[in-house]
C-alpha cells in the first residue's frame, strides 16, 4: 500500500460528509441511486488511505435524520444499500483490523439495518486498528436534544447529581467513546456542515473539496490532511507577534 509523506501532525479523528453522489450520477445521465452505488468504492479507498496516513478515527455521515425527507424510493434504496454494504465489506474491513462502530437513533431505522450494524460491531470489536464509525440515522441537533432530555431525567431520578459540565455532556453523547474531530471534510464543493457532529467539531479544522464523492479517493483525503498539517490550531489561545519584531 502506498504511504503518504506527512509530518507528525496527522489528524487523529477525521470526519467526512460524503456529498455529491446524486449530482455525479445526474451529470452522467444516471439516477441518483447509481451515484450512491459508485460511492462505495470511494469509501473503501478512503478507509484504506486513512489507515496508510495513520488516522486513528474515521467517522462518515452515511444517512442523516433529515434524509427521511427524500423520495420514498431513494430512502428505500439507501436503507437497503447501507445494509448490503455492511454485508459485502465487513469481512474485508475485519481483515484490515478496522473496528466498525455505529452512531445513530433507532427510531425509524429499519430493524434489518440495525441488525447488520450490530453484527459488524460484534465481528470487529476486538480489532485494534482504525475505528470506523458510520453515522446512520444521525443528526447532531437531535443528539443534543436527546442528551438534554436524558440529563433532565437522570437528575430527576437522582441518577445524576452535581453540576453539569462539558465533561458531563460528553459522557451522554452518542460519540462518547470518540475524541473530538480534528479534521472535518466535505466533498462536492458545498461549504456547510449539515447538522453533523456540531459539538464534536467545535475546534475542528474544515476542508471543503470541490470533488464529487464518487470521484473522491485516498489522494483527495491526503490532500485534505496535507492542508490540515499546515494549519495552526490555537484552541482560543493567541501569540502576540507584532510585525517587524
Amino acid at each position: 500500500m502506498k504511504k503518504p509523506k506527512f509530518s507528525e501532525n496527522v489528524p487523529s479523528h477525521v470526519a467526512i460528509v460524503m456529498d455529491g453522489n446524486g449530482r455525479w450520477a445526474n451529470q452522467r445521465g444516471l439516477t441518483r441511486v447509481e451515484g450512491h452505488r459508485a460511492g462505495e468504492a470511494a469509501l473503501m479507498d478512503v478507509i484504506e488511505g486513512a489507515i496508510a496516513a495513520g488516522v486513528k478515527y474515521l467517522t462518515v455521515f452515511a444517512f442523516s435524520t433529515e434524509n427521511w425527507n427524500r423520495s420514498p424510493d431513494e430512502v428505500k434504496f439507501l436503507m437497503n444499500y447501507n445494509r448490503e454494504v455492511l454485508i459485502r465489506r465487513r469481512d474485508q474491513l475485519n481483515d484490515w483490523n478496522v473496528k466498525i462502530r455505529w452512531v445513530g437513533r433507532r427510531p425509524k431505522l429499519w430493524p434489518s439495518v440495525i441488525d447488520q450494524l450490530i453484527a459488524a460491531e460484534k465481528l470487529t470489536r476486538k480489532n485494534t486498528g482504525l475505528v470506523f464509525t458510520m453515522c446512520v440515522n444521525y443528526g447532531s441537533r437531535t443528539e443534543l436534544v436527546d442528551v438534554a432530555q436524558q440529563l433532565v431525567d437522570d437528575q430527576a431520578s437522582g441518577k445524576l447529581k452535581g453540576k453539569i459540565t462539558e465533561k458531563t455532556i460528553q459522557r451522554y453523547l452518542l460519540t462518547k467513546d470518540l475524541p473530538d474531530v480534528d479534521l472535518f471534510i466535505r466533498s462536492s464543493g458545498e461549504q456547510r456542515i449539515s447538522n453533523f457532529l456540531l459539538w464534536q467539531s467545535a475546534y475542528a479544522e474544515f476542508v471543503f473539496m470541490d470533488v464529487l464523492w464518487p470521484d473522491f479517493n485516498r489522494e483527495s483525503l491526503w490532500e485534505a490532511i496535507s492542508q490540515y498539517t499546515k494549519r495552526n490550531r490555537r484552541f482560543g489561545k493567541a501569540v502576540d507577534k507584532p510585525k517587524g519584531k
Side-chain angles (χ1 to χ4, degrees), residues 208-227:
F208 300 104
M209 306 194 74
D210 194 16
V211 182
L212 298 176
W213 180 251
D215 293 327
F216 205 94
N217 57 27
R218 69 185 69 190
E219 299 285 349
S220 309
L221 172 68
W222 294 345
E223 169 57 28
I225 292 175
S226 179
Q227 291 186 40

Side-chain angles (χ1 to χ4, degrees), residues 202-203 205 231-241:
Y203 276 101
E205 295 294 323
R231 306 271 181 96
N232 180 15
R233 304 183 75 198
R234 296 187 296 274
F235 299 97
K237 300 177 182 178
V239 178
D240 193 18
K241 290 184 178 180

Side-chain angles (χ1 to χ4, degrees), residues 12 19 32 37 42 52 65 68 76 83 89 115 126 132-133 135 141-142 151 172 191 195 209-210 213:
S12 176
D19 192 25
R32 291 177 58 83
R37 287 194 179 97
T65 50
W68 295 106
K76 182 178 179 180
R83 179 181 60 200
R89 298 295 189 172
D115 289 345
K126 294 183 180 180
F132 171 59
T133 303
C135 292
R141 286 185 172 182
T142 301
L151 288 169
Y172 280 73
Q191 298 186 24
N195 196 24
M209 306 194 74
D210 194 16
W213 180 251

Side-chain angles (χ1 to χ4, degrees), residues 1 38 70 91-92 104 148 159 165 185 196 202 231:
M1 181 190 299
R70 296 187 178 185
D91 288 336
Q92 183 178 4
K159 183 178 179 180
T165 66
I185 301 170
F196 185 45
R231 306 271 181 96

Side-chain angles (χ1 to χ4, degrees), residues 160-177:
L160 178 64
K161 298 179 181 180
K163 184 179 179 181
I164 294 175
T165 66
E166 289 187 13
K167 289 184 178 179
T168 310
I169 294 174
Q170 178 69 30
R171 292 198 304 269
Y172 280 73
L173 292 172
L174 293 171
T175 60
K176 58 182 178 294
D177 297 324

